[in-house]
Amino acid sequence: MIRFAVRLSLAGGREAAARLVIIAAAVALGVGMLLTTLAGMNAVGAQNQRYGWLNSAAAPASSDASVDPMWWLIREDYYHGDSIGRVDVAATGPDSPVPPGIPRLPGPGEYYVSPALGELLRSTPAAELADRFPGHGIGTIGRAALPSPDSLLILIGRVPGELEQLGAQQVTQIMTTSPSDCSHGCFIGINGSGMTLVLSVVAAALLFPVLIFIGTATRLAATRREQRFAAMRLIGATPRQISVISAVESTVAAAAGMAAGFGLFFAFRPGLAAIPFAGEPFFAADLSLTVMDVLAIALGIPLGAVVASWLALRRVQISPLGVSRRVTPKPPRAWRVIPLVAGLAELSYFIGRRPETTNGQITAYLSGFLLILIGLVLAGPWLTMIGARVLAGRASRPAALIAGRRLADNPQAGFRSVSGLIVALFITSVATGTITTYVANRGEPRTDSVAATSLAKNFWPEDGPAPTADQIPAGLTAIPGVRSVTVVHRNPDPDGWHGLVTCAELDRLAVFGNCPAGAEVAAVPSDLIGMRAVDLTNDTYAWDAAAIAPVEVDRQPILSVVVNTTSRSAFEQVRTMLINAFPLGRFPASVGEWEANSARQMVQFQQLANVVMLASLPIAGCSLAVSVAGGLSDRKRPFSMLRLTGVQLRTLRRVVGLETVVPLLTVAAVAIGMGFLAAHLFLRAQLDYTLLAPKPSFYLMVAAGLAVSLGIVASTLPLLRRLTGPETARND
């Protein structure tokens, strides 16, 4: 029986071959996406493991008493907005611990650099970058210590006394625990659980339309197959034999698709590794699969295909005459919109009632989003039925009437082929609306904004005594491209901003805000930017007046030095000079760099959302095309009879077009609208922001994806002429 089933699958004519190819292609897409997701999760774990050694300050004391302590100080530096991890170390003996990726600790005046930073040092003027690092390079940090091929890391050897004065601490072992598993003090690395959740959502959004595609492909020529199997039952085939034939057909297609899916994954793995899912690209080897991953896919996909084939043919298994008893399914009821309304109500409830804890916020918002998504999937057939009835009621042409009546008769079938779009477009719309609004309010300022062109070096009390005015490098003003050098003094009033600047100085600077009328001294933040960065640095911002005389300002300790520049070269030279002059504490940076760090991850999530949408729309188009082709095959005799009665071919094409276009556009509009509404409610509840319109690129991508989907559907319409010829009208 198995041999007969294989022969029937492979030699069953063009119809069977087309069905086999389409199912295999759908399975290949699903397997490729599933493998990519699993490998991506594994890659996040591998990358996070290599971040571990950078958290050695949090490592517990070694149990080996013979280990010599090592002085350790890690700080973040920047160059052109890119983060540089700087680790200063000093050995106290021959048995000090050695970080991974290097053969020995660097001595005073020596350093190791990552390959990416080494290339940057060779191509950049020394005054902009290399002069910050004392000594000379003695080697390259190996892959074992690099989270990413693009990681910018430097390990500098120092004298123990120097690092002790800079606030370093002693460690006796290198941290080997992943930041995801570290209980406290591990601030460097990836939130592995959060990234796994994001990738899981992306995988679900991608796999859902693929599963719909597979399900649609298995229904291709379903009527003919059911009739064929029913005929076998009538001549004596048992239900078990029918199940075996169906299972073999599905398993052959699933096995071919699974093999192609593995091939797709390994072919595209190098390109996928370059995508910065977690903030930085991966090494290609990070995108690996465990034995359990491979076994789960290799066994689960064929098993799923067998189960799907069994469910599809359960009517034939019950009775060989079951396929002839076709009745109109019950129409969907309005109760299906209840979860949708409940989800919207839940998000609305939390406006002004934001939960205090992070777990409470996740529970509140995620449950609301899930309710809306479930509601959209459940309400889809009901909305399709309402739209079809409106179309039929307002129809003035036969094509619209026939299409409307058919959709209203079986809205579940009309909605099924486009339901994969619901998840993709809803998630994409929520992500786009939320991220666009967040980045607009808290993103990287304009490159010409003072928040991006100025940088500040702060002198906080915990960093030691503040410098005097004569310790500020005089060479700052001599750097070409430096617009101004401003000294901010400490405000003795604990209730206002930490800094003080005279109003005369603010008027001279012109770009750091101004004083209220009548004031002589302003209370300002240490970087002269403060919360103005939230609205992308409004240069007309008015600071609060400070209750102190102008002559008293210079007598207060210095809080910070703020330097404004006109070029990136000057900006980096200023940073280098300030780092060398004041090596204690946090290195100078701009507000723009701080804001860019928080916005960069959001932008990458937006790119993932775009991938979901751009991949899902063509897949939905393929599902529609297969559904159209299957519907034409199942209805070729009624359509042929209509043509014999005088109905023109273009009328039938309009019928088929309306049956596919109406659900597609309706689902797209409802999913995007609900996504934006959910994003608006979330933003109001969590951040008190009002949803901003997405950029035109979002609408262009949606339009392009829909156009591709409709183009794929249109490619099936030429089948109508061949399938509805006069010879088809005869009785079988």
Coordinates of all heavy atoms in Angstrom, one line a residue, residues 528-580:
L528 N 23.9 71.1 30.0 CA 23.2 72.2 29.4 C 22.1 71.7 28.4 O 21.5 72.5 27.7 CB 24.1 73.1 28.6 CG 25.2 73.9 29.5 CD1 26.0 74.7 28.6 CD2 24.5 74.7 30.6
I529 N 21.7 70.4 28.5 CA 20.7 69.9 27.6 C 19.5 69.4 28.5 O 18.4 69.8 28.4 CB 21.2 68.7 26.8 CG1 22.4 69.2 25.9 CG2 20.1 68.2 25.9 CD1 22.1 70.2 24.9
G530 N 19.8 68.4 29.4 CA 18.8 67.9 30.3 C 17.6 67.3 29.5 O 17.7 66.7 28.5
M531 N 16.4 67.6 30.0 CA 15.2 67.0 29.5 C 14.8 67.6 28.1 O 13.8 67.2 27.5 CB 14.0 67.1 30.5 CG 14.2 66.3 31.7 SD 14.5 64.5 31.4 CE 12.9 64.1 30.7
R532 N 15.5 68.6 27.7 CA 15.2 69.2 26.4 C 15.4 68.1 25.3 O 14.9 68.2 24.2 CB 16.1 70.4 26.1 CG 15.7 71.6 26.8 CD 16.4 72.8 26.2 NE 17.8 72.7 26.3 CZ 18.7 73.2 25.4 NH1 18.2 74.0 24.4 NH2 20.0 73.0 25.5
A533 N 16.3 67.1 25.6 CA 16.5 66.1 24.6 C 15.2 65.3 24.3 O 15.1 64.7 23.2 CB 17.6 65.1 25.1
V534 N 14.3 65.3 25.2 CA 13.0 64.6 25.0 C 12.3 65.2 23.8 O 11.6 64.5 23.0 CB 12.1 64.6 26.3 CG1 10.8 64.0 26.0 CG2 12.8 63.8 27.4
D535 N 12.3 66.5 23.7 CA 11.7 67.2 22.5 C 12.7 67.6 21.5 O 12.5 68.5 20.7 CB 10.8 68.4 22.9 CG 11.6 69.5 23.6 OD1 12.9 69.3 23.7 OD2 11.1 70.5 24.0
L536 N 13.8 66.8 21.4 CA 14.9 66.9 20.4 C 15.5 68.3 20.5 O 15.8 69.0 19.5 CB 14.3 66.7 19.0 CG 13.6 65.3 18.8 CD1 13.3 65.1 17.4 CD2 14.6 64.2 19.2
T537 N 15.7 68.8 21.7 CA 16.5 70.0 22.0 C 15.9 71.2 21.4 O 16.3 71.7 20.4 CB 17.9 69.9 21.7 OG1 18.1 69.8 20.2 CG2 18.6 68.7 22.3
N538 N 14.9 71.7 22.1 CA 14.3 73.0 21.7 C 15.2 74.1 22.2 O 15.3 74.4 23.3 CB 12.9 73.1 22.4 CG 12.2 74.4 22.1 OD1 12.7 75.2 21.2 ND2 11.1 74.7 22.7
D539 N 15.8 74.8 21.2 CA 16.8 75.8 21.5 C 16.3 77.0 22.2 O 17.0 77.9 22.7 CB 17.6 76.2 20.3 CG 18.4 75.0 19.8 OD1 18.7 74.1 20.5 OD2 18.8 75.0 18.6
T540 N 15.0 77.2 22.2 CA 14.4 78.4 22.8 C 13.9 78.1 24.3 O 13.2 78.8 24.9 CB 13.1 78.9 22.0 OG1 12.2 77.8 22.0 CG2 13.6 79.2 20.6
Y541 N 14.4 77.0 24.8 CA 14.0 76.5 26.1 C 14.4 77.6 27.2 O 15.6 78.1 27.1 CB 14.6 75.2 26.4 CG 14.0 74.5 27.7 CD1 12.9 73.7 27.6 CD2 14.6 74.7 28.9 CE1 12.4 73.1 28.7 CE2 14.2 74.1 30.0 CZ 13.1 73.3 30.0 OH 12.6 72.7 31.1
A542 N 13.5 77.9 28.1 CA 13.9 78.8 29.2 C 14.1 78.1 30.5 O 13.2 77.3 31.0 CB 12.8 79.8 29.4
W543 N 15.3 78.2 31.1 CA 15.6 77.6 32.3 C 15.1 78.3 33.5 O 14.7 79.5 33.4 CB 17.2 77.4 32.5 CG 17.8 76.7 31.4 CD1 18.6 77.2 30.4 CD2 17.8 75.3 31.2 NE1 19.0 76.2 29.6 CE2 18.5 75.0 30.0 CE3 17.1 74.2 31.8 CZ2 18.7 73.7 29.5 CZ3 17.3 72.9 31.3 CH2 18.1 72.7 30.2
D544 N 15.0 77.7 34.7 CA 14.5 78.4 35.9 C 15.6 79.3 36.4 O 16.8 79.0 36.3 CB 14.2 77.3 37.0 CG 13.0 76.5 36.6 OD1 12.1 77.0 35.8 OD2 12.9 75.4 37.1
A545 N 15.2 80.4 37.0 CA 16.2 81.3 37.6 C 16.7 80.7 38.9 O 16.1 79.9 39.6 CB 15.5 82.6 37.9
A546 N 18.0 81.0 39.2 CA 18.7 80.6 40.4 C 18.8 81.7 41.4 O 19.2 82.8 41.0 CB 20.0 79.9 40.1
A547 N 18.6 81.5 42.7 CA 18.7 82.5 43.7 C 20.1 82.7 44.2 O 20.5 82.3 45.3 CB 17.7 82.2 44.8
I548 N 21.0 83.2 43.3 CA 22.4 83.4 43.6 C 22.9 84.5 42.7 O 22.4 84.7 41.6 CB 23.2 82.1 43.4 CG1 24.6 82.3 44.0 CG2 23.2 81.7 41.9 CD1 25.4 81.0 43.9
A549 N 23.8 85.3 43.3 CA 24.3 86.4 42.5 C 25.3 86.0 41.5 O 26.0 85.0 41.7 CB 25.0 87.4 43.5
P550 N 25.4 86.7 40.4 CA 26.4 86.3 39.3 C 27.8 86.2 39.8 O 28.6 85.3 39.4 CB 26.2 87.4 38.2 CG 24.8 87.9 38.4 CD 24.6 87.8 39.9
V551 N 28.2 87.1 40.7 CA 29.6 87.1 41.2 C 29.9 85.9 42.0 O 31.1 85.5 42.2 CB 29.9 88.4 42.0 CG1 29.8 89.6 41.1 CG2 29.0 88.5 43.2
E552 N 28.9 85.2 42.6 CA 29.1 84.0 43.4 C 29.2 82.8 42.6 O 29.6 81.7 43.1 CB 27.9 83.9 44.4 CG 27.8 85.0 45.4 CD 29.0 85.0 46.3 OE1 29.4 83.9 46.7 OE2 29.4 86.1 46.8
V553 N 28.8 82.8 41.3 CA 28.8 81.6 40.5 C 30.2 81.0 40.3 O 30.4 79.8 40.6 CB 28.2 81.9 39.1 CG1 28.3 80.6 38.2 CG2 26.7 82.2 39.2
D554 N 31.2 81.8 40.0 CA 32.6 81.3 39.8 C 33.2 80.8 41.1 O 34.2 80.2 41.0 CB 33.4 82.4 39.2 CG 33.0 82.7 37.7 OD1 32.4 81.8 37.1 OD2 33.4 83.8 37.2
R555 N 32.6 81.2 42.2 CA 33.2 80.7 43.5 C 32.7 79.3 43.8 O 33.2 78.7 44.8 CB 32.8 81.7 44.6 CG 33.4 83.1 44.4 CD 32.9 84.1 45.4 NE 33.3 85.4 45.1 CZ 32.9 86.5 45.7 NH1 32.1 86.4 46.8 NH2 33.4 87.7 45.4
Q556 N 31.7 78.8 43.1 CA 31.2 77.4 43.4 C 32.1 76.4 42.7 O 32.8 76.7 41.7 CB 29.8 77.3 42.9 CG 28.8 78.4 43.4 CD 28.8 78.4 44.9 OE1 28.7 77.3 45.6 NE2 28.8 79.6 45.5
P557 N 32.2 75.2 43.2 CA 33.0 74.2 42.6 C 32.5 73.9 41.1 O 31.3 74.1 40.8 CB 32.8 72.9 43.4 CG 32.3 73.5 44.7 CD 31.5 74.7 44.4
I558 N 33.4 73.5 40.3 CA 33.1 73.2 38.9 C 32.3 71.9 38.8 O 32.8 70.9 39.4 CB 34.4 73.2 38.0 CG1 35.0 74.6 37.9 CG2 34.1 72.6 36.6 CD1 36.3 74.6 37.1
L559 N 31.2 71.9 38.1 CA 30.4 70.7 37.9 C 30.7 70.0 36.6 O 30.7 68.7 36.6 CB 28.9 71.0 38.0 CG 27.9 69.9 37.7 CD1 28.0 68.8 38.8 CD2 26.5 70.4 37.7
S560 N 30.9 70.7 35.6 CA 31.2 70.1 34.3 C 31.8 71.1 33.3 O 31.8 72.3 33.5 CB 29.9 69.6 33.7 OG 29.0 70.7 33.4
V561 N 32.3 70.5 32.2 CA 32.8 71.3 31.1 C 32.0 70.9 29.9 O 32.0 69.7 29.6 CB 34.3 71.1 30.9 CG1 34.8 71.9 29.6 CG2 35.1 71.5 32.1
V562 N 31.4 71.8 29.2 CA 30.6 71.6 28.0 C 31.2 72.2 26.8 O 31.5 73.4 26.8 CB 29.1 72.1 28.2 CG1 28.3 71.7 27.0 CG2 28.5 71.4 29.4
V563 N 31.5 71.4 25.8 CA 32.2 71.9 24.6 C 31.3 71.7 23.4 O 30.8 70.6 23.2 CB 33.5 71.2 24.4 CG1 34.2 71.8 23.1 CG2 34.4 71.3 25.6
N564 N 31.0 72.8 22.7 CA 30.1 72.7 21.5 C 31.0 72.8 20.2 O 32.0 73.6 20.2 CB 29.1 73.8 21.5 CG 28.0 73.5 20.4 OD1 27.8 72.4 19.9 ND2 27.3 74.6 20.0
T565 N 30.8 71.9 19.2 CA 31.7 71.8 18.1 C 30.9 72.0 16.8 O 29.6 72.0 16.8 CB 32.4 70.5 18.0 OG1 31.4 69.4 17.9 CG2 33.2 70.3 19.3
T566 N 31.6 72.1 15.7 CA 31.0 72.3 14.4 C 31.3 71.1 13.4 O 30.8 71.1 12.3 CB 31.4 73.6 13.7 OG1 32.8 73.6 13.5 CG2 31.0 74.8 14.5
S567 N 32.1 70.2 13.9 CA 32.5 69.0 13.0 C 32.7 67.8 13.9 O 33.0 67.9 15.1 CB 33.8 69.4 12.2 OG 34.9 69.4 13.1
R568 N 32.6 66.6 13.2 CA 32.8 65.4 14.0 C 34.3 65.2 14.3 O 34.6 64.7 15.4 CB 32.4 64.2 13.1 CG 30.9 64.1 12.8 CD 30.1 64.1 14.1 NE 30.4 63.0 14.9 CZ 29.9 62.7 16.1 NH1 28.9 63.6 16.5 NH2 30.2 61.7 16.9
S569 N 35.2 65.7 13.5 CA 36.6 65.7 13.8 C 36.9 66.4 15.1 O 37.6 66.0 16.0 CB 37.4 66.2 12.6 OG 38.8 66.2 12.9
A570 N 36.4 67.7 15.1 CA 36.6 68.5 16.3 C 36.0 67.8 17.6 O 36.6 67.8 18.7 CB 36.1 69.9 16.1
F571 N 34.8 67.3 17.4 CA 34.1 66.6 18.5 C 35.0 65.5 19.1 O 35.2 65.4 20.3 CB 32.8 66.0 17.9 CG 31.9 65.4 18.9 CD1 30.9 66.2 19.5 CD2 32.0 64.1 19.3 CE1 30.0 65.6 20.4 CE2 31.2 63.6 20.3 CZ 30.2 64.3 20.8
E572 N 35.6 64.6 18.2 CA 36.4 63.5 18.7 C 37.7 64.0 19.3 O 38.3 63.4 20.3 CB 36.6 62.5 17.6 CG 35.3 61.8 17.1 CD 34.6 61.1 18.2 OE1 35.2 60.8 19.3 OE2 33.4 60.8 18.1
Q573 N 38.3 65.0 18.7 CA 39.5 65.6 19.3 C 39.3 66.1 20.7 O 40.1 66.0 21.6 CB 40.1 66.7 18.4 CG 40.7 66.1 17.1 CD 41.3 67.2 16.2 OE1 42.2 67.9 16.6 NE2 40.7 67.4 15.0
V574 N 38.2 66.8 20.9 CA 37.8 67.3 22.2 C 37.6 66.2 23.2 O 38.1 66.3 24.3 CB 36.5 68.2 22.1 CG1 35.9 68.4 23.5 CG2 36.7 69.5 21.4
R575 N 37.0 65.1 22.8 CA 36.8 64.0 23.6 C 38.1 63.4 24.1 O 38.3 63.1 25.2 CB 35.9 62.9 23.0 CG 35.4 61.9 24.0 CD 34.8 60.6 23.4 NE 34.1 60.8 22.2 CZ 32.7 60.6 22.1 NH1 32.0 60.5 23.1 NH2 32.1 60.7 20.9
T576 N 39.0 63.2 23.1 CA 40.3 62.7 23.4 C 41.1 63.6 24.4 O 41.7 63.1 25.4 CB 41.2 62.5 22.1 OG1 40.5 61.6 21.2 CG2 42.6 62.0 22.4
M577 N 41.0 64.9 24.2 CA 41.7 65.8 25.1 C 41.1 65.7 26.5 O 41.9 65.8 27.5 CB 41.7 67.2 24.6 CG 42.5 68.2 25.3 SD 42.6 69.8 24.5 CE 43.6 69.4 23.0
L578 N 39.8 65.7 26.6 CA 39.2 65.6 27.9 C 39.5 64.3 28.7 O 39.6 64.3 29.9 CB 37.7 65.9 27.8 CG 37.2 67.3 27.4 CD1 35.7 67.3 27.2 CD2 37.6 68.3 28.5
I579 N 39.5 63.2 27.9 CA 39.8 61.9 28.5 C 41.2 61.9 29.1 O 41.4 61.4 30.2 CB 39.6 60.8 27.5 CG1 38.1 60.6 27.2 CG2 40.2 59.5 28.0 CD1 37.8 59.6 26.1
N580 N 42.1 62.4 28.3 CA 43.5 62.5 28.8 C 43.7 63.4 30.0 O 44.5 63.1 30.9 CB 44.5 62.8 27.7 CG 44.5 61.7 26.6 OD1 44.3 60.6 26.9 ND2 44.8 62.1 25.4

